[in-house]
Amino acid sequence: MKMPLSLRVPTLGIVTGASRGIGRAIALQLAKRIGPSSSLYLTARSKQGLEETAHVISKEVNNNIDITCISSDLSNEKSATKLTDNLFGDLRKRKPDFSHAILVHNAATLGPLGKYSREVSDAGDIQNYCLLNITSPIVLTSLFLQLFGENSGLRKTVVQLTSRSGVLPQKTMHLYGMGKAARDMYFRVVALEEPQVKVMNFNPGFVNTEMFSGLQGSVDADFRASRIFLSEQSYFLKPEESAGAMLTAVEEDKFESGATVLSYDVMDIDITK
Amino acid sequence: MADLKVTTFCVVTGASRGIGKEIAIQLAQKLGPNSSVQLVARNQQALEDTADKIRERVDGSVQVRCVAADLSNVESVTNANQEIFDNVKDISTFSHAILVHNAASLGDTSKYARELDDVDSLQKFCLLNMSGPISLTSAFFKVFGHGKDSLRKTVVQLTSDNGTTPYKTMHVYCMAKAGRDMFFRVMALEEPEVRILSYDPGAVDTDMFKQTLSSPDKDLVSTVGDISKQTYFLKPEQSAGALVKALEEDKYENATVVRAYDELGMKVD
């Protein structure tokens, strides 16, 4: 019988896209559940959004964790490189005494859903999309793993936020679906290569965020209507519910590394009803 | 059955060697008079060799053009996308337009994922394997139109079982195939009149296959070594032939992976 692995230990947490939505909720939930002497690194484009997240954490959590906010645009090579230099430069200088290191790839974008796939023409734009949604997570993961070497005393977790769009094609979810399918597969390879690391492809379910509202920007009327339908269902989640489910899954540690974990399964919600 | 023997505008990327070369040579022979075949790759000389082999085998009215392009930077990809369709003056002269996305790379199979920290080389990989083909497909639609009454179009994209099964050190290759497969499944939903063939060529004796031997993963190298001794280790011409057969039979479901082995009636897991 698999025993849960308590999160309440000194933890290094890195969360991308932590300025709002699910990313902010993950940062907050993580802060609530980890132990004293933990360090959280939060990144996103919006400095203000990050500071608000840090503020919410300091208000709601009395946990003696230090929070570092680094504003960076992961769709821009210079900015992304600056982030990795700052973040990992900082971490390399410290003599971190953590029991758990967790990296959460949450930052993502929907892509040009105002167009159909045949209209996605600008190679430079597509490259920027790849940089944010695919390449940056690859590089962050690599640097994260290099930080700790084969240190087997330290528990290591890598989570990437995925979507049903990674397995089920939908109109206008072209780059988005491609990115999620690509990430899912990439992290399955990471799981194979790194038996000491727990890798989770987390499907957060349908969540009430600005990204979800952004789906109304789809050029396809049926798709837009389907999203409105979802937003009216009882299983349309608040960000904190989804984030909580993710961390519960990490704590329960029942999942196989590289597997896709669905929020609804963790929460025991049957959305087919 | 699909009639390939019509006036066709055809593009094959990575046509300088391996599977791409064979696809170009075999497909060109199936096309009708006054067809136009564009061969795209980095190596101009190798493309000319492919072009020569085609010209020896086709009717004199079939035009073969070589477009040498380095698909590893955005500017040259954008230029190539234009150059490829440069000599299309009047699309009504064609009855069919075929685009074959064959060009691809394996990524650095000498490294594990934990060593992949170079943004630039990862981005180049994305460009060659994902962004480039997507933008080229868009250019293809811009020229030949879309929708119910538009010119008959077929898009072929070479995939792999690596798109559904993870292998150590095949990280970015697996990733790109999985990504592409999904992209074209979305396109299949959006463009129901377009035939989209996602083709798994099987294990084929090419330079790309040999590159997997550089992997530090002993299991992979051993598996690859075993495969190369099997009867199902295909020559490029066999795999290309099965692709052309699938196009002719026209039974495939859009953007659903079609395996060379199934076309050839070979039982391979």
Side-chain angles (χ1 to χ4, degrees):
Chain A
M1 162 90 181
K2 205 74 197 319
M3 297 304 291
L5 278 177
S6 175
L7 292 175
R8 195 146 323 268
V9 295
T11 303
L12 166 66
I14 304 171
V15 183
T16 67
S19 55
R20 51 182 170 155
I22 298 172
R24 171 177 286 178
I26 287 172
L28 179 57
Q29 290 290 313
L30 198 48
K32 284 182 173 172
R33 295 166 78 154
I34 54 186
S37 307
S38 289
S39 290
L40 275 188
Y41 286 81
L42 309 178
T43 181
R45 273 170 306 180
S46 165
K47 189 161 194 281
Q48 189 176 347
L50 287 174
E51 282 168 359
E52 274 168 40
T53 301
H55 179 70
V56 171
I57 292 173
S58 65
K59 256 192 11 200
E60 298 194 22
V61 182
N62 188 10
N63 209 349
N64 184 27
I65 56 176
D66 69 45
I67 302 173
T68 307
C69 297
I70 308 177
S71 140
S72 164
D73 181 356
L74 295 175
S75 75
N76 175 293
E77 271 197 53
K78 253 203 182 131
S79 185
T81 306
K82 217 175 119 215
L83 164 73
T84 53
D85 287 348
N86 285 345
L87 170 58
F88 293 99
D90 205 45
L91 286 169
R92 272 181 227 114
K93 271 190 243 133
R94 305 173 55 162
K95 268 265 173 269
D97 198 10
F98 304 113
S99 302
H100 185 198
I102 174 167
L103 169 60
V104 183
H105 298 296
N106 163 80
T109 48
L110 289 177
L113 66 167
K115 296 179 172 178
Y116 285 109
S117 56
R118 66 169 192 267
E119 300 168 289
V120 180
S121 59
D122 189 308
D125 288 346
I126 306 166
Q127 281 292 91
N128 291 341
Y129 188 85
C130 287
L131 180 55
L132 172 61
N133 292 276
I134 298 174
T135 299
S136 289
I138 291 176
V139 172
L140 283 171
T141 303
S142 146
L143 293 172
F144 175 78
L145 293 175
Q146 287 174 32
L147 252 186
F148 305 109
E150 308 291 336
N151 183 346
S152 49
L154 172 70
R155 177 185 177 194
K156 295 181 278 281
T157 305
V158 177
V159 180
Q160 69 98 4
L161 276 279
T162 184
S163 165
R164 196 165 69 159
S165 290
V167 292
L168 182 75
Q170 289 166 113
K171 291 187 191 179
T172 70
M173 296 285 95
H174 28 71
L175 293 194
Y176 186 70
M178 176 185 86
K180 294 312 188 191
R183 286 157 66 114
D184 288 354
M185 176 54 74
Y186 184 81
F187 284 98
R188 286 172 69 191
V189 173
V190 173
L192 269 187
E193 293 182 355
E194 303 287 336
Q196 305 301 321
V197 182
K198 266 324 252 303
V199 179
M200 181 194 292
N201 292 332
F202 181 68
N203 178 343
F206 305 110
V207 188
N208 190 358
T209 63
E210 284 178 59
M211 178 180 265
F212 194 87
S213 307
L215 294 170
Q216 291 307 307
S218 170
V219 68
D220 192 80
D222 288 337
F223 183 73
R224 292 196 305 269
S226 73
R227 302 304 100 176
I228 291 177
F229 172 81
L230 288 170
S231 70
E232 292 161 353
Q233 304 312 306
S234 61
Y235 51 78
F236 190 52
L237 301 174
K238 297 190 180 73
E240 52 265 30
E241 293 176 293
S242 192
M246 188 269 272
L247 288 170
T248 297
V250 172
E251 186 157 51
E252 288 181 345
D253 196 33
K254 287 189 279 195
F255 65 100
E256 201 181 310
S257 192
T260 297
V261 174
L262 173 61
S263 62
Y264 298 122
D265 291 337
V266 179
M267 299 167 75
D268 213 7
I269 294 174
D270 182 358
I271 67 170
T272 62
K273 292 219 160 69
Chain B
M1 295 290 290
D3 187 9
L4 295 180
K5 207 79 169 147
V6 297
T7 307
T8 305
F9 186 87
C10 180
V11 181
V12 181
T13 67
S16 52
R17 51 179 170 152
I19 299 172
K21 181 170 185 162
E22 278 302 313
I23 290 173
I25 292 169
Q26 293 193 37
L27 191 51
Q29 293 174 68
K30 295 286 181 178
L31 307 180
N34 300 305
S35 289
S36 180
V37 180
Q38 322 325 290
L39 308 174
V40 187
R42 274 171 302 186
N43 189 323
Q44 174 82 34
Q45 202 168 334
L47 285 178
E48 294 291 352
D49 188 66
T50 304
D52 287 342
K53 293 203 159 54
I54 293 175
R55 289 183 189 116
E56 286 165 18
R57 292 160 171 78
V58 300
D59 180 68
S61 70
V62 172
Q63 184 201 39
V64 186
R65 242 179 107 225
C66 299
V67 179
D70 177 8
L71 303 176
S72 73
N73 79 72
V74 169
E75 206 187 318
S76 71
V77 165
T78 306
N79 290 338
N81 288 349
Q82 208 166 4
E83 199 188 327
I84 287 165
F85 303 103
D86 249 355
N87 70 335
V88 179
K89 303 294 177 235
D90 179 2
I91 68 169
S92 67
T93 60
F94 299 105
S95 301
H96 189 192
I98 303 177
L99 173 57
V100 181
H101 293 298
N102 163 81
S105 56
L106 280 186
D108 193 347
T109 50
S110 72
K111 293 186 168 166
Y112 287 102
R114 63 161 49 228
E115 301 165 86
L116 298 182
D117 57 15
D118 181 47
V119 171
D120 198 51
S121 58
L122 288 167
Q123 282 295 96
K124 283 192 160 69
F125 180 86
C126 288
L127 183 59
L128 177 61
N129 293 278
M130 290 182 289
S131 311
I134 291 173
S135 66
L136 175 55
T137 307
S138 180
F140 177 74
F141 274 97
K142 202 149 179 226
V143 171
F144 294 107
H146 73 273
K148 243 175 57 175
D149 300 316
S150 65
L151 182 72
R152 175 185 167 206
K153 290 180 289 292
T154 300
V155 176
V156 181
Q157 68 105 1
L158 277 278
T159 182
S160 165
D161 76 310
N162 280 241
T164 45
T165 304
Y167 296 98
K168 293 185 198 178
T169 68
M170 301 301 286
H171 25 65
V172 292
Y173 184 71
C174 285
M175 169 192 94
K177 293 314 189 193
R180 282 158 70 112
D181 286 356
M182 177 52 72
F183 180 84
F184 285 104
R185 287 173 71 191
V186 173
M187 180 167 272
L189 275 185
E190 296 176 351
E191 309 294 333
E193 341 66 32
V194 179
R195 292 297 267 138
I196 300 177
L197 174 57
S198 287
Y199 184 69
D200 171 359
V204 188
D205 190 4
T206 63
D207 290 341
M208 178 179 269
F209 188 85
K210 291 185 184 74
Q211 196 199 320
T212 53
L213 296 169
S214 73
S215 171
D217 187 66
K218 294 186 171 59
D219 290 335
L220 183 76
V221 170
S222 159
T223 303
V224 166
D226 282 343
I227 289 174
S228 67
K229 301 188 183 97
Q230 305 305 320
T231 52
Y232 59 77
F233 187 49
L234 302 174
K235 296 193 185 61
E237 50 265 34
Q238 286 176 284
S239 190
L243 165 57
V244 173
K245 181 163 166 277
L247 286 175
E248 282 181 311
E249 287 177 345
D250 201 31
K251 289 188 291 196
Y252 58 92
E253 204 180 305
N254 283 332
T256 301
V257 179
V258 172
R259 298 166 77 231
Y261 294 131
D262 294 334
E263 280 300 310
L264 295 168
M266 298 172 87
K267 266 196 179 9
V268 182
D269 288 321

